Amino acid sequence: MAGRLPGCATQVLDRARPVRIYFQGRQVDAFEGDSVASALLASGIDTFSRSFKYHRRRAPSCLSGQCSRCTMSVDGRMHVKTCQTSVREGMSVEPHGSVEFDPKSLADTFSWALPTGFYYKYFYKPQWFWKRVKEVFRAMPGNMATVRPLAGKSRIDAVNLSPEMLVVGGGLAGIEAAITAAQAGVRVVLAEADGWLGGFDAFQGEAGHRRAQDSIRRLREHGNVRVLTSTWVSAIYPDGLAICVQSCGGEGPEGVLERVFHVRAGTTVIATGATSVPPLFENNDRPGIILPEAAQRLVHLWGIRPGTRILLAGGDDYLARVGLELIDKGIGLAGLADYRESGPDEALRARLSEHGVRIWSGYKVTGSHGRTRVEGATLAALGGSDVQTVACDTIVASSGRYPRHKLLGQAGARMAYDSGLNFYLPEDVPRAYHAAGRLLGLEDPEAIMAQGRVAAVRALEGLGIDVGTMGQEARQALERPSPLRAVSAQPLSTEAGKKAKTFVCYCHDVTEKNVEQAVEEGFSDIETCKRYTTATQGACQGGMCEANFTHVLARKRPELGSRTLPTTRPPVASISLGAMAAGHHDNPQLSPLHHVQLEHGGRPMRLGSWIRMNHFGDELAESLAVHQAAGICDVSMLGKFRVFGPDAKKLLNRVMTREVGNLAGNKILYSSSCNEEGILLDDGVVLKMGEDDYFVTTLAGRAPVTEEWFARWCREEDWQVHVVNLTETRAGMNVAGPKSREILSKLTDADLSNEAFPFLTWARVKMAGVDVIAMRMGFVGELSYELLCPSSQAGFLWKRILEAGKPLGLVPFGIECLNICRLEKGHAIPGLDTDGFTNLFESSFGWMLNRTKTETVGKPMLELFSDRPLKEQLIAFSMDGKSPVLDGCLVVKGPRQLGRVTSIRYSPLLDKTIGLALVEPDEDWREGGKVRLWLGEGREVEAAFAKPPFYDPSGGRMKA
Amino acid sequence: MPFLIDCPNCGRRSPYEFKFGGECKRAPDPGADVKAWCDYLYLYENMSGVQDEWWYHTMGCRSWLKIRRNTVTHEIIEE
Amino acid sequence: MPTSQPVLRYKQPEKRYDVIVIGAGLHGLAAAYNLARYHRVGRIAVLERRYIGFGGSGRNTEMIRANKRAHETLPFYKESLEMWDGLSAELEWNLMVQKKGLIALAHSDGELAVMRMLSDSQRRAGIKIDMLGPEEVKKMVPSLDVSDKPALPVAGAQFHPEGGTVHHDAALWGYAKAASRCGVDICAGVEVTGFYVEGGKVNGVRTNVGNIAAGKVHVAVGGYSSEIARMLGVKYPVVTIPMQVMTTEVMAPFLDYYVASPRLHWYTQQTLKGDLILGGQLDPWQSWNSSTTWQECSERVAFILEYFPDLAHARVVRSWSGLCDCTGDSAPVMGPSGIDGLSLDIAWGYYGFKSTPACGKYAAEYIATGKVPEKIRHFGLDRFYNRQRVREIII
Ligand SMILES: Cc1cc2nc3c(=O)[nH]c(=O)nc-3n(C[C@H](O)[C@H](O)[C@H](O)COP(=O)(O)OP(=O)(O)OC[C@H]3O[C@@H](n4cnc5c(N)ncnc54)[C@H](O)[C@@H]3O)c2cc1C
Ligand code: FES
Ligand SMILES: [Zn+2]
């Protein structure tokens, strides 16, 4: 087949621009415009891949991205459909595995031993045998890509588009639909899988080419159509989202490899065309057996001879027409086998005969033979008599037509089989979708174009767009009848091939016999048969095999009556993980103090959606500094809210376990909240800023949940209350330690003395010129001020405080130190020291339940169970010195598992390891009791039960 | 299956912008018994068909909406 | 070479059975098989409205494991995991059991703490578990990125060597074949539409092909359990939520383990065939519709790709989805229903595949004896009324 036909207008090649690519290291000469597959075929390469089960030679059969038999690794990227990939200078192309010599092809010879589902029927015992066999299984499949480290990340862009209309398919119907919509003034996106427009007509010789060019020229007159070529619409979701993946060819950081368009169109016209159904005969998978469309593409687009002696086979005049085109190009024919008794149309037959082409009417191909590719075919009359052998190097064959219906199916349409036409036609197409063109079985170009216009008109009308006289004209044009032409299905032999294989599903090497056997074994409905045989489940996802699969099944089970197709699931065209992931980014939240803390040596870590500082080099030293001098810690991630309005109190009394109504003056109310089960959710403080005006804090990172929670508890009320999330507007820092008053006093005129500003009160102060809300709280057990300031000034204030505090020993500290200090005080953190089952009483927060108010969320359940024994409780314990016990350690008692350590840290101040544990109630939880921690089989350590706080039990230090 | 929700404040939006808040239920009186409260908390009609349910527009107006939806077809039913 | 013997044998239902099992998923088939094989209960039918394996049993991601959280239920899951070993031989059908090992990644110290706790609890129940550092994980899964490039780097992992996969279709057909051979009638296209209950006792079911009498009815309808509840005029503690998963084109073996990130809700494994299964997250809302969405699939892939960057050009060929009936405590409901003769095996969410062998065994035991076996004691409906919910959830 080597050598090219002379150039002509229909070709997509630029012969002035040669391109070299490398196939297995060997140079292959190509032209700009070639696909990798066309270049390889032109250079005489026959075998592209080895098949999945039997390692048979496989080569392109569709050249339109549907059969997946041309996939190879290109420039290190696996599973590339070479027929859909344009050549680029220096491209390196490798098949998946060795194709020329493949020892595993022995599987083909021994396939008699591998009946349908053989892997279920054998090897069920003994276990050890299966363990060995499965390793053999893993290594067996053909055409397996190898995962290799990638040099770098390819650039894959994600783009959102929302045109009024999306047109899928750039053939005559699609183009016409796009033009119609463009004329109506709407924005259109037209997606076409090929690198050019024209669809079927692009490769229908000169006449088709002219038609296509004419349409394209008219399309180009419209500025409001965005044409995306080399773009597969991978999936359509019923809410109108279409995923269109364009291959852009670029590699490396600057070149874009793929572009993923997320298209949300108001309406969609699907004009994806139809395709020939592969023929069913023995060894119908040999290289050299191609679909008629593929033959036409080779000849008209790339100027490649499919072969030198071509046998045409099928039951459709289309094949005769393709034969005449081949003759026209000077390509030799071995004849035409037509399984219709009547044979091809009179005129076509006459013209073929003129050229001395032998025609067998009422004959079908029953098998092929050859070594590396087709060398001949056997024909037989339909009844099976008169078997003949014909020498040929290529078989161009089809056994009917099949709509490329999958996108339509995904949009929600049903495909109904029309037995008269032997074609599937859509039914119940959802409102925003319209089908057009060859997809509907149309063949006449005029009818296809008219129908494309009608589809667009209907689509526009569906959008409520005035189409003026266009609608009238389009409909009139369609009134000229263009009846669908029946294409007869290939008659199946009464008996599936005895020995040689007739492939139904190529991707998974499923034969006609396999399907029949499955039905005999009871796998008779389409879904179970599909799973048992694995037919239609391979790379082509049924695109090439569904028609034959249902055909064979229907013959075997005529009682099923109507033919159904397997469920269509996205994607219709395989899509790379890179393309799927495009546009996803991690968006962590940064505190306004993030950068200034990094400057001061903070070690960041991710906690939920926030990035926080774990420590600043030495958490133990930090904790000692807090106790001896002072420390400063970023607490900006606390949720902060303003809750105000005449009904603010009502809302807060619902979500808070304590009574808010009594809050007066500058007091701080420390409270918690529960869900309806009484499970502890959150703790925080409430400040009263004015009449019906409250400021509320919640746990770090919980702001979005809290906001939703507050909204949830007034969603059915007609209350005058408003909640504003201030979290990002206010930074928070905790300045703690015996020297904190002295340090902060340097920056403010306000009186920070204990008398003027006692524990558990708050004040508005100006600090270093910044407006600050200061709260005296005791989370870390020392005198401390929690300062809330505008986020914009947080960095400034932090620096000023550090400057002022440095001479007095102030250090920045992170959450590790915070953990040590709060454990010294025995403070539990909801969600960390409690879990989704711990109710308020079981946590250490039970004292916060106001028993008199009834509206508290969770209170009914807490009351109902208040007289029953607790399921668990939070206890504290300690050990001398440093212990290796870590968070999560189990608390046990003999065989019983009582619970787990929720937080445990070494306190350098106490020289003790102290912790909290969430455990079942037990008699040991008393003064002098032991807490047994499980370190592994036979290894336990004991800790002493303790009543917190471990440090400053009277609280004198924090209240000082 | 994807669908779109008409938010009265923000317009027609992807449900991925929302948090699903579950079927609409009526809480018992605070003084009701354990059975009533546990039924309310743990049992669901879990309708295969049309039900009223809550959605919170997290990435939009941040309000709770009551939506009537067919959980089989995902059709949103206007009231 | 075996000849074509029927594997699946569908029957027309008779008018009366001793036991009716609703649902020909794995749980229904396993219960019927165990009843027929190990108990004397008379005639048994499995009624299925679609076909064998229409529900979750034919759609799941085949993960089997026993490293669950609630220590009181570990013996159940451990037994189920062990039962898979002998099942191929028992059913005379290769279920393709692969105990290839499960690696669950942790991304922070906090997660490691939870994982250590789980591991210890599982070890105490006799389940083999190891904790791994990032470097050890890298040795086992060379294609995994354990560097600090991902937003949430790999901080360590738990290794569950006995975890793995079983071919779900093989299991379905194996149980179906064995059940048929033990005399169970498997009836497809038969939809239960109502029940006959009298004096608190079940007498039979209504179906699209007529009434069928039975003194015992076992509900194993997977994600559809609330429809059964409606027929009975009750509610169950479940919400039906779909789960979506994907598969890719085949690749040469490169991933020997099942790798999961519980925190980020993704998991992936390479099947015997060579394709990757990708998934791990429930849909964010209740639904009875099993089509897939771009948002969910692309987000799952984005996470997985962050840890397997060399898979950027691997290609997804199919996505699908199945319904999971989920309880708030991530544990199932098994045993009494409150109606005499009517037993439940529902609410298996996204974790019922692994439990099949033990569920079959204990459901059959309960149906035959009327006594709740110790191992499934924690799965009763009563747990919702006495604060005895199973502590399966990790927060
Ligand atoms: C995507 C996905 C992934 C999963 N991955 C895993 C995993 O990795 N590991 C794991 O352990 N579990 C997994 N699961 C969960 C597991 O699949 C299920 O828990 C399990 O299959 C439940 O089996 P079943 O027999 O109870 O129900 P199903 O398999 O759902 O069977 C129920 C059957 O009942 C039939 N039915 C329903 N109503 C009626 C009626 N009225 N009359 C007659 N018939 C009826 C249905 O048609 C169906 O065939 C996953 C689930 C999904 C959806
Ligand atoms: S030849 Fe490339 S997909 Fe068919
Ligand atoms: Zn909104």
Side-chain angles (χ1 to χ4, degrees), chain A residues 676-677 858-868, chain B residues 26-43, chain C residues 384-387:
Chain A
E676 285 180 286
E677 293 171 80
K859 183 153 177 282
M861 280 292 277
L862 287 167
E863 294 288 2
L864 283 168
F865 285 91
S866 63
D867 56 346
R868 305 205 197 171
Chain B
R26 260 272 282 278
D29 292 336
D33 62 4
V34 171
K35 168 92 170 53
W37 270 99
C38 291
D39 279 355
Y40 160 70
L41 285 172
Y42 302 117
L43 304 187
Chain C
F384 293 95
Y385 297 89
N386 53 19
R387 297 196 70 229

Side-chain angles (χ1 to χ4, degrees), chain A residues 37 59-71 81-84:
Chain A
S61 75
C62 74
L63 291 170
S64 55
Q66 299 179 79
C67 72
S68 283
R69 272 185 255 170
C70 64
T71 57
K81 284 178 181 160
T82 55
C83 73
Q84 298 293 293

